[in-house]
């Protein structure tokens, strides 16, 4: 197998310089970490363009670059649904409608918002599930990075794991959330600039977009992959219009972008209400164009395979191509020493930004929502700063452990991810009802969440994706009522059903339970009880509403062009 | 939190630009560029990164202060 990159001294020089800058940013911020708020909330002082790029970069982790290129090779441009319909509407909604409550309330985290709006048990449920989930996500990132370095560069797995964890630990320990955010901005530019040469050279090789379309058409199986909507049908691996619109575009997307503290935390670190509302919108501009950097390479790879490029090989795995290797194999095919080092550094940067994002979200939720709430309340600020720092170390250490769990028991990880998916699907129902109706009660939200989670598990038990081999994929009840064309479509429908059940349950239970919070207490937390935010942008074209319309319009135009 | 992130970004890409640019010039015409369809990608990306890096530095706070003085 042609899987060894021979790196030259230039490649290593670039890598080392990058790591020096990453650590240097943490070190430069060290002196400013005087209180818990500075360490865990970046002192709520960052400019909108910084939080906006970090918002996208925190999400541009390992799964994104490797996974989206793989998906681009398998499903073509249909993968953009994860970027356009599956992100932009939710980001606009977060900016315009939800940020005023997150930023305007005194909440320091998403679970804390739930405590202010509902009650202790709803917060606890969210805080614990989120804390465990982020640690596992961080562990999976580390595992994937170490595995890739071992496959590509022949580096020692344990060494790669420990060294990457140590780098992330040092810069998040020194500079806290600010350090993670500033580094995410650096990583954002590195990822874009590092992958551009690959996309440009690849495109020239296959004769531009038209050449690519022509070469995709050489194989009836891959013909038409350049369309995003045209091939969508109930038998398509991405499923029907309904599933994409409601499952991906509504429930999963709003559930992720609007309630996941990992991304919301970036917006909450902004310096003003206006900057906080602009954060997701500024992030939306690059988000819309990232597909050309991560999905298009997958399609370039297929075009190369179809037209028989003698220098490009894609290794096989279990009877089909190993699509996860699309990006590394393209790097090897097109980039000589020098830019190759840059590309690999960009790849590492994407893993690390994912890891650091999870670690900084974890330490905030743990310190404020678990430690300060349940373990040791009422101590001084410097006490919680110390706890925040120790949590960072513990978080990274536990991540390393989970990386080893991932390495040893693949099924355990699949199972855990499944459970988190069940918990996440109904979450947006609680936020939607809580933010927009004052009648929704804590009992309603909490039992709505549990009912939704339970119904997700139930749907999973009675359905299966085509070709399922293990019970972790579904059908554990023994009776399979519906077979979906793919796991993705199954996920969309589980999300739709879980959300609907949670919504109905929240409404019904709220009607039968007493409100525990007065109108006065809900001020700033519920739409009807909060004075409308007046935007203080200097120019009309800087206002969040104008930015939102622009983002929406560009997303629609892009969808039409790549229909 | 006071850190002008434009400075580290600008510095890092300027350094990358210089390294790749010089490396590109030194390896001009080498058959390692057969891979990249005979384009000297190191030289070109080096120039692009150098310009990007300088641009970032130019818009950073230290430059703004100097212009005011």
């Amino acid at each position: 197998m042609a899987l060894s990159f021979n790196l030259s001294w230039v490649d290593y020089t670039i890598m080392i310089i990058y790591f020096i800058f990453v650590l240097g940013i943490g070190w430069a911020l060290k002196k400013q970490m005087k209180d818990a708020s500075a360490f865990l909330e970046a002192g709520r002082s960052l400019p909108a363009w910084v939080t906006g790029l970090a918002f996208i970069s925190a999400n541009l982790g390992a799964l994104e670059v490797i996974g989206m290129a793989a998906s681009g090779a398998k499903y073509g441009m249909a993968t953009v649904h994860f970027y356009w319909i599956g992100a932009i509407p939710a980001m606009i909604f977060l900016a315009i409608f939800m940020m005023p409550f997150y930023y305007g309330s005194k909440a320091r985290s998403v679970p804390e918002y739930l405590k202010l709006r509902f009650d202790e048990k709803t917060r606890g449920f969210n805080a614990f599930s989120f804390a465990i989930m982020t640690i596992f996500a961080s562990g999976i990132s580390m595992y994937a990075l170490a595995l890739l370095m071992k496959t590509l560069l022949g580096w020692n797995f344990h060494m790669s794991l420990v060294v990457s964890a140590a780098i992330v630990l040092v810069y998040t320990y020194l500079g806290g959330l600010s350090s993670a955010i500033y580094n995410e901005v650096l990583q954002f530019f590195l990822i874009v600039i590092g992958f551009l040469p690959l996309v440009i050279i690849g495109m020239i090789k296959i004769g531009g977009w038209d050449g690519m379309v022509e070469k995709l058409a050489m194989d009836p199986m891959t013909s038409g992959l350049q369309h995003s909507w045209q091939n969508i049908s109930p038998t398509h691996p991405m499923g029907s219009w309904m599933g994409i619109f409601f499952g991906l575009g509504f429930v999963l997307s709003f559930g992720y972008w609007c309630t996941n503290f990992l991304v919301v935390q970036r917006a909450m670190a902004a310096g003003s209400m206006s900057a906080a509302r602009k954060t997701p919108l500024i992030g939306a501009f690059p988000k819309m164009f990232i597909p050309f950097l991560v999905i298009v390479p997958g399609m370039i790879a297929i075009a190369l395979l179809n037209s028989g490029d003698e220098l490009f090989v894609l290794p096989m795995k279990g009877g089909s191509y190993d699509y996860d290797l699309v990006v590394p194999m393209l790097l090897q095919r097109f980039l000589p020493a020098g830019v190759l080092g840059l590309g690999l550094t960009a790849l590492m940067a994407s893993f690390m930004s994912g890891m650091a994002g999870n670690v900084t979200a974890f330490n905030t939720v743990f310190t404020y929502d678990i430690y300060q709430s349940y373990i040791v309340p009422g101590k001084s600020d410097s006490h919680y700063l110390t706890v925040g720092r120790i949590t960072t170390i513990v978080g990274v250490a536990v991540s390393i452990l989970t990386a080893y769990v991932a390495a040893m028991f693949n099924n355990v990880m699949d199972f855990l991810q499944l459970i988190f998916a069940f918990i996440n699907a109904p979450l947006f129902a609680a936020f939607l009802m809580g933010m927009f109706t004052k009648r929704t009660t804590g009992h309603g939200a909490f039992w709505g969440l549990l009912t939704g989670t339970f119904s997700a598990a139930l749907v999973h038990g009675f359905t299966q994706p085509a070709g399922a081999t293990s019970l972790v994929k579904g059908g554990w009840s023994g009776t399979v009522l519906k077979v979906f064309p793919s796991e993705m479509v199954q996920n969309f429908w589980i999300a739709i059903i879980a959300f609907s059940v949670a919504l109905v349950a929240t409404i019904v239970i709220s009607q039968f339970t007493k409100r525990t919070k007065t109108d006065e207490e809900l001020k700033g937390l519920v739409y009807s009880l909060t004075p409308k935010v007046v935007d203080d942008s200097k120019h009309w074209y800087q206002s969040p509403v104008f930015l939102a319309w622009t983002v929406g319009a560009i997303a629609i135009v892009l969808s039409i062009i790549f229909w | 939190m006071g850190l002008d992130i434009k400075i580290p970004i600008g510095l890092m890409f300027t350094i990358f630009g210089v390294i790749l640019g010089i490396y590109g010039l030194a390896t001009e015409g080498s058959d390692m560029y057969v891979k990249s369809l005979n384009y000297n990608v190191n030289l070109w990306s080096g120039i692009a990164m150098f310009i990007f890096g300088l641009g970032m530095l130019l818009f950073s706070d230290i430059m703004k202060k100097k212009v005011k003085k």
Side-chain angles (χ1 to χ4, degrees), chain A residues 7 35 40 50 67 71 75 117 189 204 227 230 244 262 274 284 300 313 327 336 392 407 483-484 507 553:
Chain A
L7 294 190
D35 50 34
L40 299 171
V50 168
S71 181
Y75 314 122
R117 172 62 189 87
F189 287 110
I204 295 173
H227 295 292
Q230 218 172 76
I244 293 177
L262 172 65
S274 176
I300 292 176
V313 274
V327 170
T392 309
V483 175
F484 291 106
I507 295 172

Side-chain angles (χ1 to χ4, degrees), chain A residues 391-546:
Chain A
T391 310
T392 309
I393 301 174
V394 174
V396 171
V398 180
S399 296
I400 296 178
L401 276 181
T402 56
Y404 278 104
V405 174
M408 283 185 287
F409 312 100
N410 271 315
N411 284 331
V412 175
M413 295 318 260
D414 285 350
F415 181 70
L416 279 167
Q417 279 177 315
L418 192 68
I419 304 286
F420 295 136
F422 294 165
I423 294 173
N424 280 341
L427 196 59
F428 187 61
F431 277 90
L432 198 63
M433 294 314 293
M435 277 188 176
F436 296 97
T437 65
K438 57 180 181 177
R439 185 66 193 84
T440 307
T441 64
H443 289 306
F446 181 75
W447 294 108
L449 279 177
L450 285 193
T451 321
T453 304
F454 182 69
S455 68
L458 218 54
V459 177
H460 182 259
F462 285 99
T463 60
Q464 247 178 5
T469 46
S470 83
L471 290 184
V472 95
K473 305 285 178 205
W476 46 263
S477 67
T479 329
V480 175
L481 300 174
K482 167 93 185 155
V483 175
F484 291 106
S486 72
E487 221 178 310
M488 228 187 307
V489 184
Q490 186 192 25
N491 288 338
F492 295 169
W493 284 99
I494 289 178
I496 293 175
I497 295 169
F499 173 82
S500 313
V501 170
L503 194 74
V504 172
T506 305
I507 295 172
V508 172
I509 297 166
S510 291
Q511 293 306 319
F512 289 103
T513 46
K514 255 213 194 113
R515 275 180 63 184
T516 48
K517 304 250 175 183
T518 62
D519 278 8
E520 193 49 41
E521 285 174 304
L522 292 182
K523 223 173 146 187
L525 301 169
V526 178
Y527 191 76
S528 59
L529 300 171
T530 307
K532 249 188 140 219
V533 277
V534 184
D535 190 67
D536 57 356
S537 302
K538 268 191 217 140
H539 304 284
W540 58 271
Y541 55 82
Q542 290 175 333
S543 75
V545 174
F546 176 75

Side-chain angles (χ1 to χ4, degrees), chain B residues 1-12:
Chain B
M1 294 293 105
L3 172 72
D4 187 6
I5 187 66
K6 291 190 210 86
I7 297 168
I9 293 174
L11 273 179
M12 190 178 88

Side-chain angles (χ1 to χ4, degrees), chain A residues 19 22-23 138 142 145 158-174 352 355-356 359 392-393 395-397 399-400:
Chain A
F19 289 128
V22 166
L23 297 174
S138 158
M142 283 183 189
L145 173 65
H158 311 282
M159 268 291 284
S160 312
L161 194 71
V162 173
V163 170
S164 57
I167 292 171
V168 170
L169 173 64
V170 169
Y171 79 79
T172 48
Y173 181 85
L174 288 175
M352 292 201 173
M355 247 192 272
V359 169
T392 309
I393 301 174
V396 171
S399 296
I400 296 178

Side-chain angles (χ1 to χ4, degrees), chain A residues 32 45 178 182 333 337 339, chain B residues 1-3 19 23 35 42 45:
Chain A
Q32 300 177 20
S45 60
S178 332
Y182 282 128
R333 161 65 185 84
V339 275
Chain B
M1 294 293 105
L3 172 72
I19 293 176
Y23 186 69
K35 272 180 166 187
N42 284 327
S45 342

